Amino acid sequence: MTTDLKTRLQSPAIVTAPGVYDAFSALLVAQAGFDAAYLSGASIAYTRLGRPDIGLLSLDDVAQVTTAIRERNEALHLIVDADTGFGNAINVQRTVRLLERAGASAIQLEDQTSPKRCGHLDGKTLIGAAEMAGKIRAACDARRDSGTLIVARTDAVAVEGLDAALDRMDRYTDAGADVLFVEALRTRDDMATALARLSPRGPLLANMVEGGKTPLLPAAELQALGYRLAIFPGGTVRALSHALQGYLASLHRHGTTEPYWPQMLQFDGLNQLLGTPELLAGAKRYE
């Protein structure tokens, strides 16, 4: 990476981070020209477990995927969703150390109770603001590189209301959070209120979930409002799901993949994407 994520967030252009769930999806994000990606816990649950985002992932699940992504791509700014930190403040410290070593550029922690659930599902519950502030302090103390950012997320809008959510975020910022994430804001006015209060304290993250509770806005409009980082966490899995449903329906109907060829890569095309010719050529040096 030519600059770290902290420096990148200070540049005029908003950071747009598509969601990824494995090394292959992260490779496609990089090849599409993005300089950042968001490793979505929900998307790992969808693709690794075939289950919804209801707190079923372990730290090992997230760390293994982080390691695989970083081994394949050294340049992406990788924001890693660490859910609740997988326990109390001591667990949070282990989480931060492990994910930082695995290659996370930023580590996101949220103030839900465990087991957590997707921020755009109903029925969430929260830990106390003081406990969450302690987790943020623990995370900051555990990181070995000040360039590794700690993202504080609050889910309090749905539980305690907007004012309480902003109060919580003030406490998390005081505790050392580098990036501020108020989840599931309901309206543009709520987004503007959060930005007006919090943007002087640090860069804000906008979460764009197709069909979720927050208005879905283009990155340029989010930038104009004052957001510094926009994540599109589940879009890749939704696009993949739609494409695979079409492919499988066609195969089931025709008994062959030929009618679907215009919508898929052929064998050579996939190998070009993966860099197979270059890899094989490089191996010849060792024969």
Side-chain angles (χ1 to χ4, degrees), residues 89-191:
I90 300 302
N91 298 109
V92 163
Q93 291 197 312
R94 178 172 181 265
T95 294
V96 168
R97 292 188 189 107
L98 192 58
L99 294 180
E100 186 179 40
R101 285 198 302 270
S105 308
I107 299 165
Q108 177 194 303
L109 301 166
E110 64 194 50
D111 58 6
Q112 286 194 53
T113 57
S114 184
K116 57 79 49 99
R117 61 178 61 193
C118 172
H120 292 255
L121 291 175
D122 295 327
K124 297 181 290 184
T125 56
L126 308 176
I127 63 173
E131 181 182 355
M132 181 60 181
K135 285 187 173 187
I136 297 298
R137 288 195 302 274
C140 293
D141 288 344
R143 63 185 169 186
R144 294 179 176 162
D145 183 345
S146 61
T148 303
L149 303 184
I150 303 301
V151 182
R153 166 176 145 178
T154 182
D155 285 76
V157 170
V159 181
E160 300 174 344
L162 178 59
D163 289 341
L166 300 183
D167 289 342
R168 278 177 172 262
M169 196 53 73
D170 272 330
R171 296 188 67 169
Y172 306 162
T173 309
D174 291 340
D178 301 293
V179 178
L180 316 179
F181 177 3
V182 184
E183 174 65 299
L185 291 164
R186 303 301 182 94
T187 66
R188 290 172 186 252
D189 286 344
D190 287 349
M191 296 167 80

Side-chain angles (χ1 to χ4, degrees), residues 11 23 37 40 53 70 73 77 91 115 126 139 142 150 163 169:
S11 67
S40 160
D53 183 19
R70 184 56 77 208
N73 192 306
H77 299 300
N91 298 109
L126 308 176
I150 303 301
D163 289 341
M169 196 53 73

Side-chain angles (χ1 to χ4, degrees), residues 4-286:
D4 62 17
L5 182 57
K6 186 175 184 178
T7 303
R8 173 66 178 84
L9 286 168
Q10 295 169 356
S11 67
I14 193 170
V15 176
T16 303
V20 297
Y21 51 86
D22 63 5
F24 184 65
S25 57
L27 176 64
L28 291 170
V29 165
Q31 290 181 348
F34 293 94
D35 63 355
Y38 179 82
L39 179 53
S40 160
S43 292
I44 298 175
Y46 302 154
T47 57
R48 197 177 180 97
L49 306 179
R51 299 290 186 183
D53 183 19
I54 53 172
L56 299 175
L57 287 185
S58 70
L59 172 57
D60 285 346
D61 291 326
V62 180
Q64 287 169 13
V65 179
T66 303
T67 298
I69 291 172
R70 184 56 77 208
E71 187 276 329
R72 185 62 180 88
N73 192 306
E74 296 179 0
L76 272 178
H77 299 300
L78 186 61
I79 303 122
V80 178
D81 177 5
D83 288 345
T84 64
F86 304 100
N88 63 16
I90 300 302
N91 298 109
V92 163
Q93 291 197 312
R94 178 172 181 265
T95 294
V96 168
R97 292 188 189 107
L98 192 58
L99 294 180
E100 186 179 40
R101 285 198 302 270
S105 308
I107 299 165
Q108 177 194 303
L109 301 166
E110 64 194 50
D111 58 6
Q112 286 194 53
T113 57
S114 184
K116 57 79 49 99
R117 61 178 61 193
C118 172
H120 292 255
L121 291 175
D122 295 327
K124 297 181 290 184
T125 56
L126 308 176
I127 63 173
E131 181 182 355
M132 181 60 181
K135 285 187 173 187
I136 297 298
R137 288 195 302 274
C140 293
D141 288 344
R143 63 185 169 186
R144 294 179 176 162
D145 183 345
S146 61
T148 303
L149 303 184
I150 303 301
V151 182
R153 166 176 145 178
T154 182
D155 285 76
V157 170
V159 181
E160 300 174 344
L162 178 59
D163 289 341
L166 300 183
D167 289 342
R168 278 177 172 262
M169 196 53 73
D170 272 330
R171 296 188 67 169
Y172 306 162
T173 309
D174 291 340
D178 301 293
V179 178
L180 316 179
F181 177 3
V182 184
E183 174 65 299
L185 291 164
R186 303 301 182 94
T187 66
R188 290 172 186 252
D189 286 344
D190 287 349
M191 296 167 80
T193 298
L195 285 159
R197 177 159 163 184
L198 297 175
S199 58
R201 307 211 60 196
L204 264 71
L205 178 156
N207 186 17
M208 297 288 97
V209 176
E210 298 83 0
K213 298 182 184 297
T214 301
L216 196 65
L217 305 178
E221 190 168 342
L222 292 168
Q223 176 179 313
L225 286 172
Y227 282 102
R228 304 303 312 127
L229 174 59
I231 62 171
F232 293 77
T236 45
V237 175
R238 293 184 182 94
L240 169 72
S241 301
H242 182 72
L244 276 178
Q245 284 179 332
Y247 165 80
L248 293 168
S250 178
L251 176 58
H252 190 268
R253 183 181 313 114
H254 301 288
T256 175
T257 60
E258 186 172 0
Y260 208 80
W261 284 0
Q263 300 175 67
M264 58 190 290
L265 292 177
Q266 299 292 305
F267 182 77
D268 287 345
L270 180 59
N271 278 294
Q272 289 294 330
L273 184 156
L274 293 169
T276 305
E278 294 83 358
L279 195 64
L280 294 176
K284 290 185 179 298
R285 292 187 299 162
Y286 305 106

